[in-house]
Amino acid sequence: MISAAIVGGTGYTGIELIRLLSAHPQVSIDLLTSRSEAGLRADDIFPSLRGITDLTFSDLGDDTLSALQKCDVVFFATPHGVAMQQAEALTQSGVRVIDLAADFRLQSLPDFEQWYQQKHACPELLKTAVYGLPEVTRDKLSEALVVGNPGCYPTTAILGLKPIIDAQNEQNTRLVDARIVIDAKSGVSGAGRQAKLALNYAETTDNFKAYSVEGHRHLPEIEQGVAQLLDSRFTHRIRFLPHLVPMIRGMFSSIHLELTDEGKSVDWQQQFETSYASEIFVDVLPKEIYPDTRSVRASNRLRIAIHQDNERSELTVLVVQDNLVKGASGQAVQNMNVMFGLDESLGLNFAPIVP
Ligand SMILES: NC(=O)c1ccc[n+]([C@@H]2O[C@H](COP(=O)([O-])OP(=O)(O)OC[C@H]3O[C@@H](n4cnc5c(N)ncnc54)[C@H](OP(=O)(O)O)[C@@H]3O)[C@@H](O)[C@H]2O)c1
């Protein structure tokens, strides 16, 4: 059994990790931390966990690190800046780290400091960290000591663009114009569980708004994904604009691209289907079937639809996922499975919830 710890078990990604790991046949959750709820049983805070787990939240203060060092893997479901304080000591003890925050996503230190307004605590370790998007970085995950679990929007953007960038690289020809527009929407759980005025029921229900219009932290991560992970031979200018929609879970990214003359000769439906034929968690929908967030709710699946209009030179890629599962905790478990040599879908191959 893999001995796992969850740091930050009271947040939305934390409770999702408890739900997923409790059902995982090869994992035992041996430590669950929270500063605010220490001493309370997890199922006292979340009645949905009654009968699922007997775990109690703990805050071991100065002893936290030595307790974490006894585990095989530590999931940090915490705000940015927490995992990097302990990652070095943990990896030196042979403990593997999966950070759901952004401490190990951006390889560029100036980008990290600019977008997250803090100095990186372990830049040397950052250089060895692997970006945890198995469909792109699977080969590097088995050796990884530290994994930066991707942001939710970048997961939809990078997987939505991968077949296009791969095709351009293979043909060594620009198939889409440099300009890419990503118009994305997230449910309110994407902002976490802490109380904020802007996230009150009366503020979010029956309302719809754009946010971070002047620039969102996930933009440099998407740019890094296209330029470095997908190794694009061509430069792209990406406009990414997120919106908040009045639903609890779910994320919908519409990616708009302009086809070049060479790009019009590609059958993009076929290209996407071939690209993802062996990916269990990426579903390319048949032509003229379009995704909705309900079709992936509470599951680790991401669904993609393609619309190609050669007359208008348009290629539209629609991507949906559950922000808390494939966009966060499910992807973290998928990463753990690959890191520990398990079947990648272990503990994750369940159907979405409808209605
Ligand atoms: N929500 C999403 O859809 C989503 C998707 C992808 C990635 N993420 C990322 O995943 C991380 C967690 O997100 P979330 O939505 O679960 O956040 P959240 O609901 O706000 O929960 C944060 C958790 O971290 C703990 N925590 C806060 N400060 C801490 C500190 N200094 N040291 C130790 N623990 C601390 C909190 O518990 P105590 O205060 O009780 O200790 C709480 O359990 C964030 O970095 C977020 O950006 C979230």
Side-chain angles (χ1 to χ4, degrees):
M1 290 293 265
I2 297 168
S3 168
I6 302 170
V7 179
T10 53
Y12 286 145
T13 61
I15 182 184
E16 199 66 357
L17 278 170
I18 302 172
R19 176 175 81 94
L20 297 172
L21 293 177
S22 299
H24 195 292
Q26 293 292 330
V27 175
S28 143
I29 307 174
D30 291 332
L31 185 61
L32 182 62
T33 81
S34 161
R35 300 156 314 157
S36 59
E37 310 291 359
L40 294 177
R41 283 174 59 101
D43 59 5
D44 281 342
I45 310 291
F46 301 114
S48 60
L49 295 174
R50 282 178 62 78
I52 306 290
T53 179
D54 291 331
L55 287 164
T56 299
F57 291 112
S58 42
D59 180 2
L60 304 173
D62 292 344
D63 295 330
T64 302
L65 182 60
S66 55
L68 294 176
Q69 282 170 319
K70 296 192 179 98
C71 298
D72 298 312
V73 61
V74 176
F75 292 88
F76 282 90
T78 46
H80 316 303
V82 177
M84 65 183 182
Q85 305 299 336
Q86 296 184 316
E88 208 144 34
L90 289 172
T91 53
Q92 279 164 7
S93 312
V95 182
R96 302 172 91 176
V97 170
I98 301 176
D99 180 27
L100 278 76
D103 299 7
F104 295 100
R105 292 180 195 157
L106 293 177
Q107 278 292 323
S108 155
L109 282 177
D111 277 356
F112 177 80
E113 286 169 14
Q114 180 199 332
W115 289 94
Y116 292 93
Q117 295 290 298
Q118 50 190 303
K119 286 243 173 270
H120 205 284
C122 48
E124 287 307 310
L125 189 60
L126 173 65
K127 287 182 195 159
T128 71
V130 174
Y131 190 78
L133 190 56
E135 292 78 5
V136 181
T137 59
R138 182 173 287 123
D139 292 350
K140 296 183 182 146
L141 283 166
S142 55
E143 299 297 320
L145 288 179
V146 178
V147 167
N149 212 57
C152 42
Y153 287 120
T155 297
T156 59
I158 297 169
L159 293 182
L161 290 169
K162 181 178 187 303
I164 300 167
I165 304 298
D166 285 351
Q168 277 193 160
N169 284 347
E170 274 158 29
Q171 297 189 25
N172 201 16
T173 307
R174 198 180 262 290
L175 302 172
V176 293
D177 194 49
R179 186 75 167 153
I180 298 174
V181 176
I182 304 173
D183 178 44
K185 287 104 189 161
S186 173
V188 182
S189 64
R193 188 164 168 260
Q194 72 279 32
K196 284 185 200 154
L197 180 62
L199 301 177
N200 275 359
Y201 184 78
E203 304 286 330
T204 54
T205 307
D206 192 23
N207 196 14
F208 176 65
K209 66 174 183 182
Y211 64 100
S212 299
V213 178
E214 62 291 345
H216 187 281
R217 290 165 164 183
H218 286 177
L219 175 63
E221 196 181 324
I222 297 169
E223 288 174 334
Q224 170 183 276
V226 172
Q228 288 163 36
L229 294 178
L230 301 180
D231 200 17
S232 179
R233 291 192 188 172
F234 300 90
T235 53
H236 288 283
R237 284 179 294 117
I238 298 174
R239 174 59 169 141
F240 165 63
L241 185 56
H243 301 76
L244 192 66
V245 290
M247 60 184 181
I248 296 169
R249 285 170 180 255
M251 176 159 284
F252 196 127
S253 293
S254 304
I255 306 176
H256 302 278
L257 306 113
E258 182 153 346
L259 292 168
T260 61
D261 286 341
E262 291 80 4
K264 290 180 197 172
S265 62
V266 176
D267 178 341
W268 287 104
Q269 178 72 31
Q270 187 62 49
Q271 174 71 22
F272 272 71
E273 284 177 13
T274 307
S275 246
Y276 287 125
S278 58
E279 292 297 346
I280 183 165
F281 294 122
V282 181
D283 175 31
V284 179
L285 293 165
K287 239 180 193 165
E288 294 177 24
I289 304 288
Y290 301 110
D292 55 12
T293 55
R294 183 175 289 192
S295 69
V296 289
R297 184 187 294 161
S299 91
N300 199 49
R301 263 161 237 278
L302 175 145
R303 300 195 202 276
I304 302 183
I306 318 300
H307 178 74
Q308 178 171 0
D309 184 337
N310 280 353
E311 265 180 40
R312 293 172 193 269
S313 309
E314 285 171 2
L315 181 64
T316 311
V317 182
L318 307 177
V319 188
V320 295
Q321 70 175 3
D322 185 318
N323 55 294
L324 291 173
V325 191
K326 183 60 176 161
S329 307
Q331 182 132 272
V333 174
Q334 191 182 346
N335 282 321
M336 180 204 69
N337 284 341
V338 183
M339 290 164 81
F340 286 85
L342 302 174
D343 176 338
E344 192 169 321
S345 64
L346 203 61
L348 289 171
N349 202 1
F350 43 82
I353 295 169
V354 173

